[in-house]
Amino acid sequence: MTEVLLDVRNLSRRFDVSKPWLNRKLEGLPKTYVNAVDDVSFTVNRGETFALVGESGSGKSTIARLIVGLLRPTAGEIFFDGQSLSRGLEGAQARRLRRRFQMIFQDPLASLNPRWHVTDIIAEPLRVFERGMGERDRRLRVGELLTLVGLSPEDGVKFPHQFSGGQRQRIAIARALAARPDFIVCDEPTSALDVSVQAQILNLMKDLQREFGLTYVFISHNLQVVRHMADQIGVLYLGRLAEVNAAPVLFDRPRHPYTRMLLDAVPDIDMTGRQRKRVEGEIPSPLNPPPGCTFHPRCPLADARCRVEVPRLITGVACHAVEEGRAPWAPMPVPA
Ligand SMILES: Nc1ncnc2c1ncn2[C@@H]1O[C@H](COP(=O)(O)OP(=O)(O)O)[C@@H](O)[C@H]1O
Ligand code: SF4
Ligand SMILES: [Mg+2]
């Protein structure tokens, strides 16, 4: 039976990116904001992978940081295992919840302390969450974790810079697993790696998911990377979800024009005969997004309504043309 572990409801986050006060006064400028995440809702089932895909600046990392509590939402709420994360948790309850989730970042070199031995890096969550654990048990556990991610217990005495990019990401994964979490947010964990190394890390993450029943939110700018990794995929465009669906359905029958554009742009490795096209147009500045559907300047189906009215996510797709039944590839939606 599927069970919702993470429930993200109407999540928004804006950033104040105004010039300093004096500049604004002298130049007569108003405050400026970026709506990095705008009314995003999705759910993640226990033991599954939910992939968030979008171009650079679409709000992926902001959502990741909101989920793990590194940022506070401007609006909306996040529930984890039925508990609201947005209502400042405290004390023992917060600690119990905190140890259940972890985050893995794109650049392991930046997220691993360069002056620490690998053993101390991996042991850090144990010092925080397993306060009763003795030094000897901690060393043993670190050795176990290193083996689990395909490294050797002897690697513990080295420093991060003595490893390759792929090995460093294995160290980051070992650290993430140390306190036995059940939920991991992975923010472009393989984007900095060569393609062959990428595949090894993805396979490792899949194996660990099966072994420990982990739930992932997996972030990538590349749809193909998440194809075999994700159960559900959410496509982000300028801070909003354009489309959400089960991975095979999204690939076989993409409905949002932007999803179709992304899929048309990738090399056709499965030889489906689909024409390869380049992604047309530039992603607009998040500082000054187009009104209505923010995708309208790039969309072949845009009409007058699209230029003024924001499409809502209905049955997994936020598009007026699909809703109106005038997208040639999408059948008329079944009335609810
Ligand atoms: N701390 C911040 N202050 C101001 N703007 C930010 C901050 N973090 C992110 N942004 C802006 O929010 C938008 C989304 O950024 P981000 O979540 O990093 O996107 P992605 O990870 O998809 O590339 C971008 O326009 C970015 O410039
Ligand atoms: S709402 Fe309009 S502009 Fe936006 S994707 Fe759909 S058809 Fe294109
Ligand atoms: Mg990012």
Side-chain angles (χ1 to χ4, degrees), residues 165-187:
Q167 289 171 325
R168 280 197 287 266
Q169 205 52 292
R170 289 175 192 268
I171 295 167
I173 293 169
R175 180 183 59 180
L177 291 175
R180 304 183 199 276
D182 49 6
F183 175 70
I184 304 182
V185 178
C186 321
D187 190 2

Side-chain angles (χ1 to χ4, degrees), residues 192-244:
L193 307 174
D194 294 340
V195 174
S196 61
V197 182
Q198 241 183 58
Q200 292 166 13
I201 298 292
L202 293 177
N203 284 331
L204 171 66
M205 292 182 64
K206 266 261 168 234
D207 292 344
L208 294 169
Q209 178 171 47
R210 266 192 292 271
E211 189 165 346
F212 300 111
L214 298 169
T215 307
Y216 292 143
V217 167
F218 188 97
I219 290 173
S220 178
H221 62 270
N222 185 338
L223 255 177
Q224 286 302 335
V225 165
V226 305
R227 178 168 200 158
H228 301 289
M229 187 77 195
D231 297 286
Q232 299 280 324
I233 300 178
V235 178
L236 274 175
Y237 189 76
L238 282 176
R240 290 187 197 145
L241 274 175
E243 182 163 6
V244 186

Side-chain angles (χ1 to χ4, degrees), residues 256-258 293-296 299-303 306 309 311 318-322 326:
H256 196 283
Y258 177 57
C293 173
T294 50
F295 187 60
H296 83 248
C299 182
L301 300 181
D303 68 4
C306 301
E309 189 184 326
C319 173
H320 297 313
V322 172
R326 61 180 183 83

